[in-house]
Amino acid sequence: MLNILTEPLIRMDTAGGRLAASLPEVYVALMADGVDAFPALRPHQRHAWHAFLAQLGAMAMYRAGRPEPPDDAAEWRRIIRALAPDFPDDEPWQLAVDDITRPAFMQPPARSADRLADYKTRVATPDQLDMLVTSKNHDLKSSVELQADADDWLFALITLQTMTGYDGSRNYGISRMPSGYGNRPAFSITPSVRHGAHLRRDVAVLLEQRQVILNEYPVVDFGIGLLWVQAWDGTKAETLTIDRMEPFYIEVCRRIRLREVSGKIEAIRANSLDRRISDAKGLTGDPWAPVSNNSNPKGTPPAFLGPRKFGYERIVDGLFSPDWKEPLLLKPTGHNRNPAGTMQLVARGMVRGEGGTAGYHERIIPLKPETIQVFGRPASKQELEDIARERIKQIGTIKRILRHAVATFVAHGKSNDTSAEQRALANPWADKLDEIVDAGFFEALQEEFEADSDDDRRRIRNEWLMSGRDGVVDHGRRILRSATAALPCPAIYRYKAREAAEGLFEGRLRGNSGLPFLFDNTITEENRE
């Protein structure tokens, strides 16, 4: 049966060691913050699993009229079962059900047994089933889980059905993406990145903000919540619309069935002629995702994640840009309290492109008490944004000067005669500066924001830019020296080229288009490395 409501199929690490538990028992352990890790859970599956647990838990609690989570497995089992009352034998919670006309976990039923012929593709391992396209093996090796357990399949199923985009003809993606080639990024704040603390906070906020989702998006109270209990043969006529979904709906986007063969699980899959839920341009009330404010009826809203991934500029855009609506779970509520006074910003997402994926990315940023409070306060939020944008602009100025200086060295000291090829050689060195700055950007930003006076803010900013040790300018100088030592340049030109590059760097920094205010300070050459 492989019933996740009654059988111990999900492995979890706790203070008492590794245990196997049913889904209700997992909820109890999580709500008590007793789970250290899920050993079968791969990094790129974290948000899929977290969102599934939060949406299912919040949906079950809301429909049961429970404002607080149950503290025993039997009650969790009862309220989860109540979400699919037409199946007293728990088919929607079994990983493998032989009768294709009955649902199985995350596996929609067919309308007749004859549709079994549609399932022509055999999938032997859960990593083959997963949404992660690994043709280049950039993150994970393909087909490595030959000894997979039930929870390996469970996590792969949830990730496939709730995170996948368009993957070619008749392989359609989820509705909670702005486009087939988009992504489903996740932003939230949490008192702790431990599985349980994060889940408990998000479930509480979902219940608190449910009416906000109903007011702002075309979903309906008590609509369809579990898409895998709805019969689906993949036809165009069966495509559903978002106005039939409930706010916390959990979707499925592919026709998949698991089965047991010689004691092992395998999957079979079928194509479909249309999306399961019609294109909603990502306007689904996904509480973790930034939503584009640039509506374009003739085009497709942009994907939030792209080449910049979760660098400091992309995070700042997610927090402040008018182009993106702030995710619901980024907003502070009464459930933000943490005895330590801090919170964590968690950003997760898979970068996708046409025909594949370009890597999973995750970033965790500690937030100080005063910074947490700016969310929901427009004036304070604008103040923090202004500081962040000014810092980004100043980093851009230093990067531009560094790039010019490196290109000048490659051009044998000719600053006004650099070719496209020479400028391209300079780009990786400017990127190195970006990587260094990125690591401490948000800690430094918050230090300036929480300073007591304008004078303190100015001092903190200037030291961040140039301290003689680890300021942005100081890192730029060291990178320039490394570049002039590593890049090719004929010996006859090298000394002159290095002097020209360093002179250009220092001169442009002091000029009107640089950061001349820094050189009113008392930092001397002797203080610099």
Side-chain angles (χ1 to χ4, degrees):
M1 291 176 60
L2 300 175
N3 187 333
I4 64 173
L5 289 189
T6 60
E7 297 180 53
L9 301 176
I10 305 169
R11 289 167 289 173
M12 57 185 184
D13 290 337
T14 70
R18 181 162 296 178
L19 307 173
S22 65
L23 181 62
E25 290 166 339
V26 167
Y27 270 111
V28 172
L30 285 168
M31 293 302 167
D33 199 18
V35 178
D36 296 330
F38 294 97
L41 188 69
R42 302 160 106 186
H44 72 281
Q45 298 170 336
R46 286 176 189 148
H47 180 58
W49 176 232
H50 173 81
F52 168 82
L53 290 170
Q55 290 166 274
L56 183 69
M59 195 188 315
M61 289 170 60
Y62 175 77
R63 297 198 181 192
R66 294 191 63 106
E68 296 294 330
D71 56 10
D72 68 272
E75 181 61 7
W76 271 112
R77 188 174 297 112
R78 184 189 71 81
I79 65 174
I80 292 172
R81 273 187 176 136
L83 296 175
D86 296 334
F87 302 96
D89 294 329
D90 282 349
E91 291 97 334
W93 311 106
Q94 296 177 35
L95 289 179
V97 175
D98 291 335
D99 185 352
I100 200 172
T101 66
R102 308 293 286 175
F105 179 70
M106 303 298 288
Q107 304 159 61
R111 297 185 185 278
S112 75
D114 295 340
R115 305 302 302 214
L116 182 61
D118 294 350
Y119 292 77
K120 299 175 181 179
T121 304
R122 175 179 171 271
V123 182
T125 64
D127 57 309
Q128 286 182 311
L129 184 68
D130 205 332
M131 52 129 358
L132 187 64
V133 177
T134 54
S135 60
K136 294 183 180 179
N137 288 327
H138 63 275
D139 277 338
L140 301 165
K141 296 293 183 181
S142 302
S143 305
V144 296
E145 295 187 345
L146 296 176
Q147 303 299 321
D149 289 309
D151 52 353
D152 293 304
W153 285 99
L154 177 130
F155 295 141
L157 262 177
I158 292 172
T159 305
L160 171 78
Q161 297 287 38
T162 64
M163 300 293 290
T164 303
Y166 180 75
D167 283 335
S169 178
R170 300 188 178 184
N171 287 302
Y172 294 92
I174 62 171
S175 63
R176 293 191 187 273
M177 280 185 184
S179 72
Y181 298 131
N183 43 66
R184 188 189 178 191
F187 278 71
S188 59
I189 54 176
T190 174
S192 167
V193 293
R194 286 178 58 82
H195 291 282
H198 192 184
L199 177 65
R200 188 172 186 118
R201 189 264 175 184
D202 281 6
V203 167
V205 176
L206 287 180
L207 290 170
E208 184 179 284
Q209 300 294 316
R210 180 183 173 93
Q211 191 59 47
V212 173
I213 300 175
L214 284 166
N215 291 344
E216 295 184 2
Y217 295 93
V219 291
V220 292
D221 208 13
F222 292 97
I224 298 172
L226 309 180
L227 268 291
W228 66 91
V229 303
Q230 305 289 317
W232 184 33
D233 288 339
T235 67
K236 291 181 178 291
E238 294 172 299
T239 299
L240 302 171
T241 53
I242 192 67
D243 58 7
R244 296 184 60 189
M245 303 299 117
E246 93 108 56
F248 307 145
Y249 74 94
I250 303 171
E251 62 187 308
V252 293
C253 64
R254 302 290 171 85
R255 297 166 67 203
I256 299 289
R257 298 295 295 199
L258 300 191
R259 60 188 183 183
E260 290 188 87
V261 179
S262 301
K264 293 183 178 180
I265 302 174
E266 68 173 26
I268 51 177
R269 61 193 305 169
N271 292 335
S272 56
L273 297 176
D274 205 351
R275 299 168 64 116
R276 186 62 178 115
I277 300 175
S278 60
D279 191 358
K281 303 296 184 186
L283 301 177
T284 63
D286 187 344
W288 291 274
V291 178
S292 173
N293 282 327
N294 296 332
S295 58
N296 180 1
K298 295 184 179 180
T300 300
F304 181 80
L305 275 179
R308 288 191 291 167
K309 302 166 187 175
F310 281 133
Y312 61 91
E313 291 184 81
R314 183 82 295 193
I315 295 287
V316 168
D317 280 345
L319 297 179
F320 304 116
S321 174
D323 295 336
W324 298 95
K325 184 176 181 181
E326 183 179 272
L328 186 68
L329 286 166
L330 264 186
K331 297 179 181 179
T333 71
H335 300 281
N336 291 341
R337 301 295 173 254
N338 179 8
T342 60
M343 296 282 284
Q344 312 286 318
L345 186 151
V346 180
R348 293 170 173 160
M350 179 72 71
V351 178
R352 298 186 73 258
E354 186 171 350
T357 58
Y360 169 76
H361 300 277
E362 178 173 308
R363 185 160 188 176
I364 297 169
I365 299 170
L367 299 178
K368 296 181 179 181
E370 289 186 32
T371 306
I372 297 165
Q373 300 309 315
V374 307
F375 301 105
R377 296 180 181 177
S380 296
K381 189 174 180 182
Q382 185 62 55
E383 184 181 3
L384 181 60
E385 179 186 3
D386 290 344
I387 296 173
R389 296 293 186 192
E390 189 174 5
R391 282 173 170 250
I392 290 172
K393 183 178 178 181
Q394 290 168 338
I395 294 168
T397 296
I398 299 168
K399 283 172 58 182
R400 186 170 60 252
I401 294 171
L402 175 61
R403 189 180 290 111
H404 188 190
V406 174
T408 294
F409 173 79
V410 178
H412 305 169
K414 299 175 182 178
S415 62
N416 296 321
D417 190 24
T418 59
S419 67
E421 182 180 359
Q422 290 164 340
R423 291 192 293 273
L425 286 173
N427 288 334
W429 299 93
D431 292 342
K432 285 180 182 292
L433 180 62
D434 230 10
E435 292 171 9
I436 293 170
V437 172
D438 185 78
F441 181 87
F442 291 100
E443 181 180 358
L445 171 66
Q446 293 178 83
E447 182 184 3
E448 179 179 344
F449 177 70
E450 297 194 357
D452 294 329
S453 68
D454 289 343
D455 286 342
D456 284 343
R457 284 187 174 184
R458 190 177 303 110
R459 173 185 56 78
I460 289 169
R461 172 75 66 83
N462 288 354
E463 288 183 357
W464 171 73
L465 286 168
M466 190 174 71
S467 66
R469 301 177 306 278
D470 54 5
V472 184
V473 170
D474 306 310
H475 288 303
R477 287 185 174 120
R478 283 191 284 272
I479 290 170
L480 178 58
R481 288 199 294 270
S482 296
T484 58
L487 287 170
C489 181
I492 192 173
Y493 298 116
R494 181 171 289 275
Y495 177 78
K496 175 184 175 182
R498 185 173 61 246
E499 290 296 307
E502 292 178 356
L504 182 144
F505 185 82
E506 298 296 336
R508 287 197 60 187
L509 279 173
R510 289 166 170 78
N512 291 334
S513 62
L515 304 173
F517 60 88
L518 288 177
F519 299 91
D520 295 334
N521 297 335
T522 59
I523 296 175
T524 65
E525 292 295 331
E526 288 75 18
N527 290 329
R528 300 190 185 105
E529 293 184 8

